[in-house]
Amino acid sequence: MGKNLTSRAEDYSKWYNELVVKSDLAENSGVRGCMVIKPYGYAIWEKMQAQLDKMFKETGHENAYFPLFIPKSYLSKEASHVEGFAKECAVVTHYRLKNAEDGSGIVVDEDAKLEEELIVRPTSETIIWDTYRKWIQSYRDLPLKINQWANVVRWEMRTRLFLRTAEFLWQEGHTAHATREEAVEEAEQMMHVYAEFVEDYMGVPVIKGTKTESERFAGAEETYCIEALMQDGKALQAGTSHFLGQNFAKAFDVKFANKEGQQEYVWATSWGVSTRLMGALVMTHSDDNGLVLPPKLAPIQVVIVPIYKGLDQLDAISEKVEPLVKELRAKGISVKYDNRDTHKPGFKFNEYELKGVPVRLAIGQRDLENGTYEVARRDTLQKESVNASEIVAKVETLLEDIQRNIYQKAFDYRAEHITQVDSYEEFKKVIEEKGGFVSAHWDGTAETEDKIKEETKATIRCIPLKAEVEEGTCIVTGKPSTQRVLFAKAY
């Protein structure tokens, strides 16, 4: 199969869009702004979901499910929350259709107007906190740590597969605590859980930090984030965790009796990652030949391709390969033996390279006679011949090495693209010509933040958690600053 991918250097955005479609991850649907996640793409998401779910449960969280629809009045209870999402909400106004009297088709039944409009959830804080009012009465009911795997709708006008779609899949955690300290600890913990997953499983290095006030989640007192850097020098927010204070507890009257019997409002957090992580996975590691997938998340970790003439040779190869497939699977390695007779080996090599399968084994008549396999690794495209007796150990080593190697490559790229600047002119030059993260002093005001965004399209991605205290002056206003923040253009 011919890849015919636009190169990254030629047009990075076009390369990404083509790769997502041609590698069978996803495609645009008949609904404007919404996508179809194809089986190969969904298999990656399932692996992400399974690992994250395990990590959530290990930190004491349970799964539940809440309604897709939210009464409009709920959204208006927390002022900054509704303001943050109002422009993205899809609204249900009627509950029935009917045939048009003139026979022209189906129309909305005007007599079936809802008494109160329903919002298709853009996020579930409001419906969940209305529910928590019934679940929480006493300090014995706390902490309450719930996660939901769901779809949400945010009516985006400019969409791109995985990165920004009107409907997307995600998880959203919502917790309630007796004290401020517990809630802050929870929000920070989940940021670290996300960072561990993204780095250890996706192979994507991230920077942990907090958002500025203007970039915080609507209704949050603090937003913690992990920021990643894509190969085109743009940042991507990979996950967020929010300390909500008592804002939602007060809006929905969620109180508990403390140990002294006094009524207090609970303290809250929420946190989430979405199928946007799929976009990060593609953009961080892939190359002009196709996907490069981390072995820990690849649906197929090893593919075996027979090279043969006639059914006799195929039967002999299959007899040799069958016990190897069983042995690899017994070690938890996902293997595909592609013995289709409808496609030639060259087509298959191209297909699995495009789909980012980490390790490819090929075996032909000569390999059968010599007791060898040809082994190709996707990340470096290197090939070697390996004795059949050593192949299982070789595959195990390769999978670990590829996982480590793609992380290191991404880490090195990011290290080369964090630039420290001390003047606005230098800032604008780096943003425009080099890209990546720019570390600079900022005076802490929204006005300066807005000015920089308007003039350069760069935003403050985060205030790094491990940023050193450093006396300096804002690159725009010259006002005093005590630490640098990270700017970048972003998805």
Side-chain angles (χ1 to χ4, degrees):
M1 64 188 291
K3 300 189 193 85
N4 298 321
L5 282 175
T6 300
S7 72
R8 290 164 294 170
E10 184 184 345
D11 189 330
Y12 189 84
S13 179
K14 192 176 180 184
W15 163 82
Y16 171 81
N17 292 335
E18 288 177 356
L19 180 52
V20 168
V21 173
K22 289 186 176 183
S23 62
D24 272 344
L25 296 182
E27 64 187 23
N28 288 304
S29 74
V31 183
R32 187 181 179 279
C34 295
M35 63 179 167
V36 173
I37 303 175
K38 298 180 79 173
Y40 193 64
Y42 200 78
I44 298 171
W45 176 245
E46 282 181 314
K47 281 201 155 191
M48 289 181 168
Q49 190 178 26
Q51 181 55 39
L52 280 166
D53 200 63
K54 181 172 180 283
M55 295 169 86
F56 297 157
K57 285 170 180 169
E58 285 173 350
T59 46
H61 301 87
E62 297 178 292
N63 288 335
Y65 187 80
F66 297 85
L68 172 68
F69 302 114
I70 299 170
K72 187 180 73 174
S73 59
Y74 285 24
L75 246 68
S76 60
K77 287 187 178 182
E78 212 289 327
S80 59
H81 189 69
V82 68
E83 185 180 347
F85 286 104
K87 294 178 181 178
E88 299 176 346
C89 288
V91 186
V92 180
T93 58
H94 292 73
Y95 61 85
R96 190 167 59 218
L97 301 172
K98 67 178 182 179
N99 288 316
E101 292 180 5
D102 62 4
S104 59
I106 294 174
V107 295
V108 173
D109 186 344
E110 290 299 330
D111 294 331
K113 194 173 191 328
L114 291 171
E115 287 184 22
E116 180 180 4
E117 293 96 334
L118 296 173
I119 311 301
V120 182
R121 64 175 166 230
T123 179
S124 297
E125 273 79 5
T126 54
I127 191 75
I128 285 175
W129 279 92
D130 179 69
T131 307
Y132 281 4
R133 183 177 64 251
K134 305 164 197 167
W135 291 4
I136 298 169
Q137 306 297 327
S138 158
Y139 69 90
R140 296 182 183 89
D141 301 321
L142 299 172
L144 181 59
K145 301 167 80 172
I146 301 293
N147 175 63
Q148 169 174 245
W149 290 97
N151 63 334
V152 291
V153 170
R154 296 180 186 175
W155 211 256
E156 301 280 358
M157 300 312 293
R158 298 178 63 188
T159 59
R160 186 182 294 182
L161 293 170
F162 290 121
L163 296 176
R164 197 171 290 278
T165 49
E167 178 194 15
F168 55 89
L169 304 181
W170 79 344
Q171 60 72 214
E172 49 181 321
H174 298 270
T175 68
H177 304 267
T179 67
R180 178 190 185 93
E181 292 71 27
E182 276 184 32
V184 169
E185 186 180 343
E186 164 77 7
E188 291 177 348
Q189 173 187 240
M190 298 320 294
M191 173 194 60
H192 293 306
V193 167
Y194 287 152
E196 181 185 344
F197 170 75
V198 173
E199 294 196 331
D200 292 355
Y201 288 83
M202 292 177 59
V204 178
V206 296
I207 294 172
K208 303 172 190 175
T210 57
K211 289 290 188 183
T212 62
E213 186 175 352
S214 62
E215 292 284 334
R216 282 179 200 151
F217 176 76
E221 288 191 16
E222 188 75 271
T223 288
Y224 300 88
C225 62
I226 53 172
E227 294 286 327
L229 190 66
M230 305 296 99
Q231 289 180 68
D232 62 344
K234 284 187 179 178
L236 186 141
Q237 181 179 282
T240 52
S241 179
H242 316 288
F243 168 58
L244 303 176
Q246 295 177 310
N247 295 342
F248 285 90
K250 288 177 179 176
F252 289 88
D253 198 31
V254 184
K255 296 177 181 176
F256 71 102
N258 63 21
K259 290 180 180 179
E260 289 74 41
Q262 298 166 326
Q263 291 288 308
E264 292 184 32
Y265 287 108
V266 299
W267 298 84
T269 79
S270 66
W271 30 274
V273 293
S274 74
T275 37
R276 169 172 261 232
L277 289 180
M278 293 284 291
L281 194 69
V282 173
M283 289 196 292
T284 302
H285 304 305
S286 303
D287 59 26
D288 293 347
N289 294 302
L291 296 177
V292 175
L293 296 178
K296 287 182 179 180
L297 296 178
I300 305 166
Q301 293 172 307
V302 180
V303 63
I304 305 173
V305 178
I307 302 170
Y308 61 93
K309 290 179 182 176
L311 290 178
D312 288 347
Q313 281 191 13
L314 177 60
D315 289 343
I317 290 170
S318 297
E319 190 177 334
K320 179 75 173 175
V321 166
E322 191 176 329
L324 173 60
V325 170
K326 286 181 179 177
E327 190 174 353
L328 289 170
R329 285 178 178 163
K331 290 182 174 290
I333 296 169
S334 58
V335 189
K336 179 175 182 178
Y337 176 43
D338 189 348
N339 60 354
R340 289 176 295 172
D341 60 4
T342 52
H343 297 83
K344 292 183 177 179
F347 177 95
K348 295 175 184 177
F349 288 177
N350 229 2
E351 178 182 12
Y352 295 116
E353 189 169 280
L354 176 64
K355 289 191 167 186
V357 175
V359 176
R360 186 188 75 223
L361 307 183
I363 178 169
Q365 185 61 31
R366 187 176 296 175
D367 294 299
L368 209 55
E369 293 166 1
N370 295 338
T372 59
Y373 286 88
E374 180 190 78
V375 181
R377 55 186 291 172
R378 176 62 186 88
D379 59 333
T380 63
L381 301 177
Q382 293 172 323
K383 298 177 187 174
E384 61 181 306
S385 183
V386 177
N387 286 330
S389 60
E390 300 168 0
I391 195 68
V392 173
K394 180 65 177 179
V395 165
E396 288 183 300
T397 301
L398 263 184
L399 292 174
E400 291 175 3
D401 191 55
I402 292 168
Q403 185 80 30
R404 194 164 41 241
N405 183 54
I406 63 171
Y407 174 82
Q408 191 60 49
K409 185 178 178 183
F411 184 90
D412 292 343
Y413 175 85
R414 189 190 70 186
E416 292 163 11
H417 288 80
I418 299 179
T419 309
Q420 191 167 298
V421 303
D422 292 305
S423 74
Y424 196 31
E425 286 309 309
E426 190 183 1
F427 177 94
K428 288 189 277 193
K429 182 177 171 64
V430 172
I431 285 290
E432 198 55 42
E433 296 178 9
K434 181 182 178 183
F437 288 119
V438 180
S439 176
H441 281 284
W442 162 63
D443 63 14
T445 67
E447 290 76 20
T448 300
E449 192 177 359
D450 290 342
K451 176 182 170 69
I452 293 171
K453 183 177 181 179
E454 186 180 327
E455 293 179 356
T456 70
K457 294 187 172 64
T459 55
I460 297 176
R461 301 316 305 157
C462 70
I463 303 166
L465 285 188
K466 293 185 177 179
E468 294 178 8
V469 174
E470 175 191 319
E471 296 300 324
T473 55
C474 174
I475 56 169
V476 175
T477 64
K479 292 178 182 177
S481 163
T482 58
Q483 72 174 95
R484 294 175 181 270
V485 297
L486 289 181
F487 293 84
K489 289 183 179 179
Y491 285 97

